[in-house]
Every structure is written in structure tokens, then in C-alpha cells.
Amino acid sequence: MNNSNSNNNKNNIIVDKDSYISLNATIKLFDENGNFQFENDLLAVEKYLETEIKPNFKKFNSIKEKLEYLFLENYYDFNVFKKYSSSFLISIFEKAKTYNFRFSSFMGAMKFYTTYALKSFDNKTYFEHFEDRIVCNALLFGRGNEQDALTYLDEMMTGRYQAATPTFLNAGKKQRGEYVSCYLLRVEDNMESIGRATTTGLQLSKRGGGVAYCLTNLREFGAPIKGIKNQATGIIPVMKILEDVFSYANQLGQRQGAGAVYLNAFHPDILKFLDSKRENADEKIRIKSLSLGVVVPDIAFHLARENKDMALFSPYDIQREYGKPMSDISITEEYENLLNNPNITKKYISARKLFQQIAEVQFESGYPFILFDDIANEKNSALNNRIIMSNLCTEITQINTPSILNTDLTYEQLGEDVCCNLGSLNIAKVMEDGANFGKTVKYAIKALDSIAHLADLSSAPTIENGNSKNRAVGLGAMNLHGFLATNKIYYDSEEAVDFTNMFFYTMAYHAYKASNETAKETGFVFENFKNTKYADGSYFDKYTQCEENYWTPKTERVKELLKEYKLAIPTKQDWIQLTEDIKKFGLANSHLMAVAPTGSISYLSSCTPSLQPIVSPIEIRKEGKVGRVYVPAYKIDVNNYMYYAKGAYEIGVNPIIDICSAAQQHVDQAISMTLFLTENATTRDLNKAYIYAFNKKCVSIYYIRIRQEVLKDSEKLFECTTCVI
């Protein structure tokens, strides 16, 4: 976030812990009938608004007066609002009030007012309620079209669509960060590229974005420099520099800058890379705050299965032999050629040792993230470019192309890098209006396309170049467990997988249809469309070349649900017609779907995160000065408690992988998939999880969470209440 916005969102407003905090805490206590008092959470919301927000909210006599004040005092960006008439601006703010929005959890209310609502520069006065922030987003997305703005208002006020945090937070504000969630940069094997990547990371972190780097192409420790052997210091010093960058660019203390680095598993520095996250790592190599990700080609699994050694190949030599960087070749396809080439330096490690070390480090730190290289590229629509990395949350898999830099760090050849324009559907809310599912997806894609057009990425020319050419977006979804539980379906069931499959199958159809309609209406087709599998329709063969009823629900319960919610499933003929339209008119966006973790916005929306199961029916969060906050699951009550009773640790990894695998069939990018293991898990269990996820064609694995038994006895009793209702 830029400097001028930072103090606008700190929470230093004094709270009264003896009122709403105590009410919230009582939801974990039993009433006289032995049931949790979930209704007290709504009482906590009322008390919070009455005692904390209302006294500190600036009052205006009219909407007109309020807008004039916020423009004059540089709180609202007039450039967003001036595209609409004054009368419309007043009417849309009035319209927003008619929805009579109420927060359905204390956590949601507190999250909004402490994180998202516009506050005075001294942080003592609130200027916005929830509906005001929604209006700002609707106006931004509408880009001057009044009817579109009203439609966006409806989609967001009803909770069907929720913008990602950077967009929702910054829309309409004068002092703001960027609308984009995160960025992906590739680094080439030269000082100019390293230097440019460092300065770009500073600029992007200043604006509030997380930044991931691909380091695969950097020469290994001991590689030659200018023909002199044993000179290169490898990737660790570069990681140290990047870590310092993100520690420095901390957005005036609001939050630390966030960075990640990805490395191919066949890079010679891979073991040092992993060791940098060990708890007892030497300080010379220890990486404390930077996230790590490993790109794992299929061949690594094959070698591990056969208990063979794997060769690690010099990126320096690969560049000289192939005339292209290591990241731009398929290690799986070229493995034998690389192995037999005497001009490529190599060293050997046990393939099983690599996976063992990955598991050990994950037990200690939760890292590294894993990107399944060949699975990601099987889903890649581009014919001539490879996916080489992911982002901070492992849901983005797009194309990065190399740049060539002059010695003054100007560009001789401008490559393409990636930004993440993200938003999410609330599955439960979308299903409530299942007959209009297509409309919701259409406007969600249009909203994200607007962000791709409006984002100011001039501080990062390669990202600006990639965004302008590709207009890539990432529409995701959240509240899967919430929808399942409130419809009395267990998360770890055949019905849950069946529903997930059908939901994302339908979502994909409407996402592609929306992008195709945008291309028809505007004439804009992403630049490389002709060199993709979209152009000849082959990308959609799984929908157009299948048996007639292949993509239909398999369980009676899901058939009933779809009928009950009036959700129409696209037919094979629908896909055939859409494919022909895409071949003829193209797509406006190179990428369309990606399922982010939705941590903050799921709390804001009082729903379950992403596609993950809940951790506990009542989650305990530590929130700054407030302390412990108790967060009940979405619409939890006596009737559906049993469907929430098993949390993520009890459910285990396989059902989570099954759910994500079902969705991944239709998601053109990736899914942030966190795996939860109990305190009794071993590295062998983790290795089994990798293999299972690999075999189920998941694209990535995000964090590994190991439950730690460190709670007090009273809290342990609370954690073991799955049978009380």
C-alpha cells in the first residue's frame, strides 16, 4: 500500500472488551439445554455497532453533503465518481440502504470496520458502512455504465460476489493501494534482471501487493562466471536480498511486505533452498519471512517410485546448450537428453530423499508450496510458452516470458509477467439464486475484467505488458463447506465431490461464455489467442468430445439439489456451440478461473473459506487489541451442527484433495489447497498426500498445517465437543 494510505486502515480505536467481546465469547458456552448459544454472536454485533461504531461515525445531513466532504478532504477519488451524474450517485447510495444489510457474525462486522471501512486520517472517525464500500466497488466496476453499476451493487449486496481484499479495500479511495492481489515475476541469470526484479518488488510491495519470483534460471552455487569456475554464489544470496526488500517495504507498519520464491526441483541448489527454512538453519542461509515454493516435474515422482537417484542440472549449462533458460524446457520430456548430454553439469541425489526433505521442512514451517509442473502445463492453453511458477497462494498459473535488459536496467526486449485480478463467488448465496447463476458469473467476470483495465501497473513494465495483452482474471469461490453443511451433506462424502464437480463445471461454462461475449461486444481478444488451444477448440474437447451425459450429477442427492435450486447444467450441445463462438470471436481474457484461499473476505462474508473444510465448528481467532474472537461456522445451528462436527484435521487430507480435484477439472488455473494433518502424522503420511494429490491431477499444494496440541485443558474440552448437539 502506498504511504499516504497506510494510517487510513490501522485499528487504534479504543474498544470496550466488557460488552461485545464477552457476548461473542459466550457462544462457546452451553445453555440450559446443552446447546451452544450461537444467537449471542448476533447480539455481539448489535452491541459492537452501538458502542464502538455509532459514537465514532461521522454524521452527515445528506448523501450529497457526505460526498462533497469526502471529495474535498481527499478521501474519495473524484475520478471514479465523475463518470456518473450527481443524481445517480445519490440514488445508488440510497438504493444500497434498501437492502437492509446486517452482519451475520461479530467477526464479519469487526473485520469490515477495522480493515475495510474508510476512516479519517487520524483513525478516530468512521466514514463508511458496509453498503457504502459496496457502492464504491460497484461504481468502479461499472466504469460509468449506470445499469451495470446497479447490477454489481445487487450481486455484492446479496453476497453472491465478493471482490478480493485489494479491490474491495481500495475502490473509490483517493489514498489507496492498487486493486491487484499479487504479482509473478521471472528472474533471468544476470545482474540486470536481478536488480530490476528487486526494484520492481519494492514498487509493488509499496502498493500493497504480494510478489512471487521464479529463481529457476539463476546459475547454481559454484557455476562459472565469465568462464571462471566456482565463482557463482547460487540462489541463497538473492533470496536474502529479496527478504530484506519485503521487510523494508512494510506499508508503514500496517503489514509486512509479502514475497515468495519458486525453484525447480531439478535445480542443483534445491536442498540448500529447502534447508533455508529449517528451524535450526545456519543464519547465513536462513530465510525467515520469505515463502518458498518448489516446482515438481512428473519425472521426480517416477524416479521416487522406482527408488532411483535424480540428476540435478546446471541452469547455466542448459542455457548454453538449449539456447533457452531452464524454466522454459520440460524437464520430464528432456530428462534423458539432459542426462546423456556431457556438456551439462549434473549432480545426483536420491529422489526419495528430496521428497523426504520437503516433508521434513513442511513439518517445521508449513513450506514449501508445491506446484506440479506437468499437470499445470497440461492445463496450459498456450502452444509455445510454459507455466514456470505460481504466486503467494498457489492459485495462479499463467505465462511469464523473458525480458532482455540493458546495463542501465532499461528494456531492450519487454517480456510478459503476471498480475492476479481476483474475486470470489459465495457458493451458498449463488445457489440461492440458481436460476440466475449465469448472470452472476457474467458480471463477476466483467468486474474482474474492469480491474484488469483500470489497474495502474506502470511501476512494473513487464506486468503492465502482460496484463494489457492478456487481461487475465481469476474468478474463484468460497463457502463450499457452508453450503454443504446447511444442505446436510458431509464434506467427506461422495455427494460433496459430485456437487463440487457440477458447480465448477457450470461455473466454467458461464465464465468462458462471459469472456466470449466481451470479445464480441468490444472487439478485444487477448493477444496470443491464435496460438492457443482455444483457437482450434481443442481445449474444450473434454466437454465436446465426451459421451452425451458424461458431465451430469451422479448422486440422487445432488440431482435433487440442482433441481431444488433451479441450477441448469450446460449440455454437450451448449459446449459445442460455445466452442464454435470462441473459435470465431475469441476470448477477451487469457485466463478466467482461480480459487484463492479467501481468508480475509470469508471472515468479512461470515462464510467458510474457499473450498476448505472448517477447522472447528467455532474457530478461535486472535485479533490484535481485541484478543480472542470466536467465529461460528456459516449458519451453524442445532440442525446442521453434525455436518460441521468434523473439522479439517479430523476429515484428513484425502477428502480435501478429492474436492479440489473435482473442481480442478474445470478451473483453468489452480486452487489454493491447504492440507491439514494431526499431531500424529509422519513425513510418510505427507509423502502419501503428495502422491495422492499428484495422481488426482491437482495443480498445486498451498500450506501444510500440522495440529499442535498446546491448548489449555479448558480449551481442549471445547475442542472436543463434536457430540454435544
Side-chain angles (χ1 to χ4, degrees):
M1 184 162 303
N2 58 25
N3 295 347
S4 56
N5 188 44
S6 62
N7 65 358
N8 198 29
N9 294 293
K10 288 182 187 175
N11 180 32
N12 60 10
I13 298 171
I14 298 172
V15 297
D16 177 8
K17 294 187 178 182
D18 295 326
S19 54
Y20 49 84
I21 293 299
S22 57
L23 270 171
N24 169 256
T26 62
I27 69 173
K28 73 183 191 303
L29 304 176
F30 303 140
D31 62 17
E32 62 274 13
N33 297 317
N35 296 325
F36 287 122
Q37 301 177 73
F38 296 124
E39 67 279 2
N40 283 358
D41 198 46
L42 296 179
L43 296 178
V45 173
E46 293 178 14
K47 184 67 73 172
Y48 174 68
L49 296 177
E50 184 66 28
T51 61
E52 167 61 19
I53 305 304
K54 188 176 180 180
N56 295 301
F57 199 94
K58 184 171 179 61
K59 297 178 177 62
F60 296 95
N61 294 318
S62 66
I63 294 170
K64 182 176 183 291
E65 179 187 325
K66 178 176 180 176
L67 290 176
E68 288 176 348
Y69 174 87
L70 295 176
F71 292 143
L72 182 64
E73 298 298 325
N74 286 319
Y75 286 107
Y76 273 170
D77 182 2
F78 186 67
N79 290 323
V80 173
F81 294 78
K82 71 179 183 181
K83 298 175 183 177
Y84 303 90
S85 67
S86 297
S87 60
F88 177 76
L89 291 176
I90 293 171
S91 69
I92 193 171
F93 276 98
E94 290 176 340
K95 176 70 174 176
K97 292 180 182 178
T98 66
Y99 286 85
N100 296 315
F101 174 82
R102 297 290 183 271
F103 288 101
S104 55
S105 75
F106 169 66
M107 183 64 176
M110 190 183 69
K111 178 65 70 174
F112 174 74
Y113 285 106
T114 58
T115 303
Y116 296 99
L118 178 67
K119 295 190 279 290
S120 59
F121 294 130
D122 64 8
N123 216 41
K124 294 180 179 179
T125 306
Y126 296 97
F127 294 134
E128 286 183 331
H129 291 304
F130 182 79
E131 53 266 34
D132 300 316
R133 187 96 299 271
I134 291 289
V135 169
C136 289
N137 278 259
L139 295 173
L140 181 73
F141 300 151
R143 291 190 279 170
N145 185 308
E146 294 182 359
Q147 187 55 54
D148 279 356
L150 288 170
T151 302
Y152 292 127
L153 176 74
D154 187 60
E155 294 296 337
M156 290 184 284
M157 285 302 303
T158 55
R160 294 190 291 267
Y161 176 70
Q162 174 60 51
T165 287
T167 306
F168 190 67
L169 170 67
N170 290 308
K173 293 181 181 178
K174 180 73 171 179
Q175 316 296 337
R176 65 172 179 84
E178 200 43 72
Y179 306 128
V180 177
S181 296
C182 55
Y183 308 90
L184 289 74
L185 293 164
R186 60 182 285 159
V187 184
E188 308 307 328
D189 188 32
N190 57 73
M191 284 295 191
E192 291 78 14
S193 183
I194 294 169
R196 188 79 200 207
T198 302
T199 57
T200 300
L202 275 168
Q203 290 295 321
L204 294 173
S205 191
K206 169 186 173 182
R207 289 158 175 79
V211 187
Y213 296 90
C214 177
L215 303 185
T216 295
N217 298 329
L218 299 187
R219 67 189 73 187
E220 73 278 13
F221 181 84
I225 297 178
K226 294 184 177 180
I228 303 174
K229 295 182 178 180
N230 299 317
Q231 296 299 305
T233 55
I235 63 167
I236 297 296
V238 177
M239 293 165 63
K240 286 281 191 181
I241 292 170
L242 294 175
E243 184 163 60
D244 288 342
V245 163
F246 295 115
S247 296
Y248 180 73
N250 66 1
Q251 298 152 46
L252 281 185
Q254 183 182 345
R255 63 176 181 172
Q256 289 292 311
V261 288
Y262 279 81
L263 191 71
N264 194 288
F266 286 82
H267 191 286
D269 288 351
I270 186 63
L271 296 184
K272 287 183 180 179
F273 179 77
L274 295 171
D275 281 341
S276 70
K277 272 294 181 185
R278 288 189 182 276
E279 292 177 354
N280 61 352
D282 189 296
E283 285 300 317
K284 292 179 180 178
I285 70 165
R286 189 179 181 195
I287 297 297
K288 298 176 183 178
S289 59
L290 204 62
S291 301
L292 306 188
V294 177
V295 181
V296 183
D298 284 6
I299 187 66
F301 282 97
H302 301 325
L303 293 169
R305 184 179 61 221
E306 297 169 7
N307 198 18
K308 290 183 177 180
D309 284 348
M310 57 187 284
L312 309 180
F313 304 109
S314 165
Y316 174 77
D317 292 338
I318 288 176
Q319 176 71 54
R320 292 190 306 162
E321 287 294 299
Y322 280 76
K324 61 173 67 174
M326 181 175 180
S327 65
D328 294 347
I329 67 171
S330 168
I331 298 295
T332 296
E333 292 176 5
E334 291 295 321
Y335 185 77
E336 291 300 325
N337 293 330
L338 292 165
L339 197 64
N340 295 324
N341 189 330
N343 296 324
I344 295 179
T345 304
K346 52 193 74 74
K347 66 179 184 180
Y348 297 87
I349 62 170
S350 164
R352 290 187 179 180
K353 178 184 176 182
L354 172 69
F355 286 105
Q356 174 70 17
Q357 187 153 331
I358 289 173
E360 289 173 0
V361 175
Q362 284 180 330
F363 263 91
E364 293 184 28
S365 67
Y367 301 104
F369 310 145
I370 294 175
L371 176 69
F372 297 112
D373 182 22
D374 294 288
I375 296 174
N377 278 289
E378 284 174 15
K379 298 184 71 64
N380 182 11
S381 65
L383 299 174
N384 302 318
N385 297 104
R386 303 190 78 256
I387 292 164
I388 64 172
M389 64 182 296
S390 188
N391 65 320
L392 271 162
C393 302
T394 74
E395 82 275 15
I396 298 300
T397 50
Q398 297 176 25
I399 300 300
N400 301 70
T401 63
S403 298
I404 299 175
L405 289 151
N406 300 310
T407 54
D408 63 354
L409 303 191
T410 57
Y411 288 96
E412 179 182 327
Q413 176 181 304
L414 188 64
E416 296 176 23
D417 281 313
V418 175
C419 66
C420 316
N421 305 310
L422 302 176
S424 295
L425 303 181
N426 183 324
I427 293 173
K429 298 296 184 181
V430 171
M431 290 299 292
E432 287 175 6
D433 191 27
N436 289 311
F437 187 100
K439 178 184 176 183
T440 294
V441 174
K442 173 183 177 179
Y443 275 88
I445 293 293
K446 285 183 65 173
L448 292 172
D449 186 65
S450 291
I451 296 305
H453 279 80
L454 294 169
D456 180 4
L457 303 171
S458 56
S459 65
T462 58
I463 289 174
E464 184 177 47
N465 187 39
N467 180 65
S468 65
K469 289 180 177 178
N470 298 315
R471 303 291 185 215
V473 302
L475 178 61
M478 58 186 178
N479 207 15
L480 175 65
H481 196 177
F483 175 79
L484 295 173
T486 52
N487 283 278
K488 299 185 178 181
I489 297 175
Y490 289 104
Y491 185 94
D492 53 344
S493 68
E494 181 185 0
E495 289 81 5
V497 175
D498 193 23
F499 172 77
T500 303
N501 181 29
M502 288 295 95
F503 183 91
F504 280 91
Y505 166 77
T506 307
M507 181 176 165
Y509 172 80
H510 290 293
Y512 282 110
K513 186 175 182 180
S515 187
N516 177 244
E517 288 178 357
T518 300
K520 289 180 186 178
E521 293 167 4
T522 66
F524 178 85
V525 177
F526 75 87
E527 187 169 284
N528 201 41
F529 174 80
K530 291 182 179 179
N531 293 317
T532 67
K533 298 173 188 174
Y534 297 136
D536 65 4
S538 60
Y539 191 84
F540 304 106
D541 282 353
K542 63 184 174 185
Y543 303 127
T544 61
Q545 305 299 316
C546 60
E547 294 179 7
E548 192 64 38
N549 296 315
Y550 183 82
W551 298 106
T552 54
K554 302 300 187 288
T555 61
E556 290 304 316
R557 179 70 182 113
V558 173
K559 290 177 184 177
E560 293 169 2
L561 268 184
L562 300 182
K563 184 177 180 180
E564 176 185 346
Y565 286 103
K566 300 178 181 178
L567 181 65
I569 301 300
T571 65
K572 178 180 176 179
Q573 189 56 46
D574 290 333
W575 276 104
I576 290 172
Q577 182 59 57
L578 177 58
T579 300
E580 290 303 312
D581 286 346
I582 290 172
K583 288 162 64 176
K584 183 176 181 180
F585 298 104
L587 294 169
N589 316 92
S590 64
H591 297 78
L592 289 165
M593 296 172 65
V595 183
T598 73
S600 186
I601 62 171
S602 60
Y603 287 122
L604 173 69
S605 302
S606 303
C607 69
T608 63
S610 189
L611 307 187
Q612 301 292 139
I614 60 162
V615 174
S616 173
I618 303 176
E619 183 184 356
I620 305 173
R621 294 278 301 178
K622 288 187 178 180
E623 291 292 321
K625 296 179 181 180
V626 174
R628 291 189 178 187
V629 176
Y630 296 88
V631 187
Y634 175 76
K635 290 188 176 180
I636 189 170
D637 60 24
V638 173
N639 297 317
N640 61 40
Y641 183 90
M642 68 182 69
Y643 298 94
Y644 284 122
K646 288 171 67 177
Y649 292 104
E650 291 75 30
I651 286 172
V653 297
N654 284 10
I656 297 173
I657 292 170
D658 289 340
I659 288 285
C660 290
S661 174
Q664 189 66 79
Q665 298 175 93
H666 314 293
V667 173
D668 60 327
Q669 296 186 72
I671 297 168
S672 279
M673 180 175 69
T674 297
L675 300 181
F676 301 82
L677 292 94
T678 68
E679 64 281 358
N680 298 318
T682 65
T683 55
R684 180 178 174 82
D685 294 319
L686 257 183
N687 279 306
K688 287 180 179 178
Y690 307 151
I691 294 168
Y692 191 67
F694 171 73
N695 288 332
K696 296 288 286 188
K697 295 289 186 180
C698 294
V699 172
S700 64
I701 297 175
Y702 189 30
Y703 280 113
I704 300 296
R705 300 296 192 198
I706 311 295
R707 181 165 58 189
Q708 302 296 324
E709 290 293 331
V710 294
L711 298 177
K712 297 177 182 178
D713 288 342
S714 60
E715 291 170 341
K716 287 181 181 179
L717 284 172
F718 167 64
E719 287 292 298
C720 299
T721 55
T722 55
C723 306
V724 298
I725 295 181

